[in-house]
Amino acid sequence: MAKWALVAHGGAGVIERAHLRPEQDAAYREVMGRVAQAGAAVLKAGGAALDAIEAAIQILEDDPLFNAGRGAVFTAQGDIELDASIMDGGTLAAGAVAGVTRTRHPISAARAVMEHSPHVFLGGEGADAFARSQGLEAVEPSFFFTERRWKSLVRELERQGLPIPRRPAVAPAKEDARTALAHDEGKRGTVGVVALDADGVVAAGTSTGGVTAKRWGRVGDSPIIGAGTYATNAACAVSCTGAGEYFIRLSVARTICALVELKGLSLQAAVDQLVQRDLTKLGGEGGVIAVAPDGQMAWSFNTSGMYRARIADGEAMVVGIYKDDP
Ligand code: ASP
């Protein structure tokens, strides 16, 4: 039985120690640890990397602290359009959805595309309809609404001089206690998990609301196989977060895997090359997490923080937020 391992992120951005209240800091650490433990429980029981990833990402999608599922950012029209992708490094099977508005767990929709359709990538209403046909939970768009994201939208539209859409009529009037703990790490955020299971298979998954005030059906890197997500047992599994337009142009996730596979770089050297060198040089901001079939785990980010956690067979869990955390 191979050693299992799992790494999770909850988005990278302007996340500084001085900006988070102690209860916010504690809330993010608690949920990142809980997510890692939930994934680890699947792996410890001999479960598949894909199952660990889906279980862990569903928790993050349901938590309004993160820009994925409930708590996702709004488009300029005042809608929430969610993107997600997943990939199995053992078979190179992959699935993705973009612009879903009614599927509670976009990561599960991506997995259903991978496992139950002849396609890799579905978009918009069709993706929601497919998810429903697979028995996945459908919700009203208001399910994803949070007051603080609405306020961020209004601020961003004012900054850009764009019209402010009508506030959704069914939106909850007040922020709940959990949502009030959310930290504004900028216009973005994403969640992702990579895992190595006891059968030696690596996989990766990513889920996001994209970027605040996005227009024209904008889609970022998160649902794009090769950009925001990639997994191959020949190298590693990678999930990204950050300014999607840069990650797409650098094919970040696939390139990290190629550096490991074709150039023999260590996992940490490969993620650092893409993030600290290439992404930074191009002017992009963000971070990545990765795991390799031999159990190597790595993360790298060029922002002030990234919510993150890692855990492996026989190793103590590590949870971090800021640059100077371990
Ligand atoms: N990568 C996401 C996107 O561009 C956003 C983020 O991770 O911050 O849609």
Side-chain angles (χ1 to χ4, degrees), residues 202-251:
V202 294
T206 309
S207 182
T208 191
V211 53
T212 304
K214 61 187 181 180
R215 299 162 79 189
W216 309 301
R218 181 266 186 192
V219 177
D221 60 312
S222 308
I224 297 180
I225 298 300
T229 303
Y230 200 79
T232 170
N233 260 38
C236 58
V238 180
S239 169
C240 305
T241 170
E245 285 69 14
Y246 294 86
F247 283 76
I248 294 171
R249 288 187 276 158
L250 289 168
S251 301

Side-chain angles (χ1 to χ4, degrees), residues 11 15 29 41 44 66 71 76-77 93-95 119 135 142 157 206-207 215 221 236 241 261 292 308 312 316 322:
I15 313 171
R29 287 180 195 273
K44 258 183 229 165
F66 302 97
Q77 285 72 40
H119 307 299
S142 59
L157 292 174
T206 309
S207 182
R215 299 162 79 189
D221 60 312
C236 58
T241 170
E261 182 182 352
R308 58 197 189 273
Y322 318 107

